[in-house]
Amino acid sequence: MSPRRFGVFAVGLLLCACGAVFHPTLQRDPTELRVDPGKDGFYWARDNEWSEESWAKIKPSTDLRWVKCYPGGFQCGRLLVPLDYNKPDEDSAAIALVRLPASVPTNSSEYLGPILFNPGGPGGSGVDFVLAVGVRFVSVVGSQFDIVGFDPRGVSRSTPRVSFYKTRIERELWAMSDVEELNHSSITVAGSWARNKITGALAVERDRNVLAHINTDHTARDMLRITEAHGREKLQYWGFSYGTVLGSTFAAMFPDKVHRLVIDGVVDVSDDYYTTKWTTNLRDTDNVLQWFFKDCHKAGPENCAFYEPSVKAMNIKLNDLYSSIIRSPVPAQTSGSYGLVDYARLRFTIFRAFYKPFAIWPMLATGLQDLVQGNGTALFNIQDLPRFQCSCDPLEHAFDNEGDVSTAIACNDGDSIPSDLEEAREHYREVLRVSEWGSIWAGIRMRCGGWSTDIPKTQFRGPIVGNTNHPLLLIGNTADPVTPLWAAHKVSSGFPGSVVLSQDSAGHSSISSPSVCTALAVREYFVNGTLPKAGTYCPIVGTPFVPNLDKSTIVPEVDSGSQTQIPFRQVMEGDGELLKALKELAREFRLGTTPLHV
Ligand SMILES: *[C@@H]1O[C@H](CO)[C@@H](O)[C@H](O)[C@H]1NC(C)=O
Ligand SMILES: *[C@@H]1O[C@H](CO)[C@@H](O)[C@H](O)[C@H]1NC(C)=O
Ligand SMILES: *[C@@H]1O[C@H](CO)[C@@H](O)[C@H](O)[C@H]1NC(C)=O
Ligand SMILES: *[C@@H]1O[C@H](CO)[C@@H](O)[C@H](O)[C@H]1NC(C)=O
């Protein structure tokens, strides 16, 4: 199902005969990294060589020992936790962690402890996330915190891993016949439904007593263990997207263990996620497309290639483009690969761009306009991933982040759903009533139609409410493509004292647009515990097409309607560094896993 399927496989097939090594759980005997107690009481690897394979050499322990790993001051560790918390004396899991340690000694009064991050999915890698943007979070919250990323159980470098396939090539070949846009042809819904029967059967066939323990309940317990391994009793956390499911579930399970908890891009946890409905996510999505057109229109033809004299004209131009692409897909060739821009790819590319306005919208505008003129290269490039390459070394991709675990978490967490095609069609129609983009979204829930009903659902799955030790901070954007602001208010109502901060932007979660106001509110919350006033409405700086607005033109927009705008203050001279970090964050961040996630 990954966009990599657009690559070229014929050559790969011939070369990959060597790749048939089965190691889903990586149970090889690891050669440990040699470690010495360092001056701060941490442990450091003696040699400076670090590669992805080195993870296997860190010996997991219950007391969380850190070794120096990736360049940039990162430390890595593997924490031993029970695979099944109901049977803590039996098998173990090892949670992979990375952190940027605080700049102050842990025994000083300035040290404020670890903040755990989750980038959504389900199934996203927190290690990848912190490696990519952890340093930006230091700019936001301050260097008195450890910035901690972890791969949730089953994901990437945490073992045992979840894998439905014997080899990478097996997964890749199966993914090739998958289509994300269910309106691609008249049989795509039925075809996807049927595919999921096979995927679900493979998952069970290849399971080695791991799947039953891959769920949000257990990952919440792991977060408590990670906190305790830092010598702390209470959690500090910032979770995005699916990370809001994880964070709110933690808060409901352990209300006394909440010190600071930010959930950003909030999912309708109880009534949509845990019921496997996946129906309310798209309430604001159609609005995001209009936001794209409006921003483009305001930016003018010199800044936005897709510009037309009116928003209506842009809507018409896009619809004409759909019709044209359905009739004749456009071939595209880039330096890395080649393929077709067909209706499915066009739609998927636009949908994915909704998540990241500052990173992608100018490119999207150019890609669409070029496509109107018959050139698909720029649009193809937006989703272009490295061509699938075979590897004969089974360790080389041993810790890749695969989509399998995403299905496992979502389907284990949620209620079992009926497995018949007519019900799947009805769900498809229901999501389409919420948004035209339901034709892409409905495929997520459909994966659970093939999921085994033998896996028990005895873990905690709600209600997602709690009287927490410290109130939660929830954040929602005015036009988030997959986590509507409405859901933040809904989840907030289950947590007394919690506050919803709204950010006036399109895009997925607050970090998709630079807002000094939001960043300062988050910093204030983590450092001092202070919550913004209820009804706080934060402006962003610049627009996706004109990010470098002159400071004098930064006039926070007051939306008509019910929201009150109470910006903390105007952007000031001293905010330069923070603003720079926020702009980088908006460009670099990546939430979830490929290809679809919340
Ligand atoms: C903190 O620990 C370091 C190293 O163990 C020690 O030298 C220092 O005196 C300690 N500082 C405080 C304030 O306890
Ligand atoms: C599906 O595609 C057809 C064109 O083939 C289009 O007319 C129709 O509006 C699309 N339906 C949805 C729900 O997007
Ligand atoms: C298509 O666009 C690309 C830039 O995205 C450009 O390099 C290429 O020359 C164009 N092809 C044609 C045939 O104009
Ligand atoms: C936290 O509170 C202190 C004292 O009230 C204040 O000086 C400081 O600026 C606050 N820090 C942040 C990040 O808001």
Side-chain angles (χ1 to χ4, degrees), residues 333-334 366-367 370 373-379 381:
Q333 201 166 352
T334 70
T366 303
D370 282 7
Q373 277 140 20
N375 185 339
T377 309
L379 193 106
N381 258 330

Side-chain angles (χ1 to χ4, degrees), residues 19 34 37 42 58 76 80 95 115 126 178 197 259 277 291 314 327 352 369 375 387 430 443 450 514 526 555 559:
R34 295 169 301 159
F42 301 125
I58 302 180
C76 294
L80 216 49
I95 308 299
I115 300 176
D178 200 7
K197 300 286 172 196
H259 188 52
K277 289 207 176 96
W291 198 298
M314 284 187 255
R327 281 194 310 273
R352 286 304 303 250
Q369 189 60 31
N375 185 339
R387 227 182 319 178
E430 196 183 334
F526 275 115
V555 182
D559 215 328

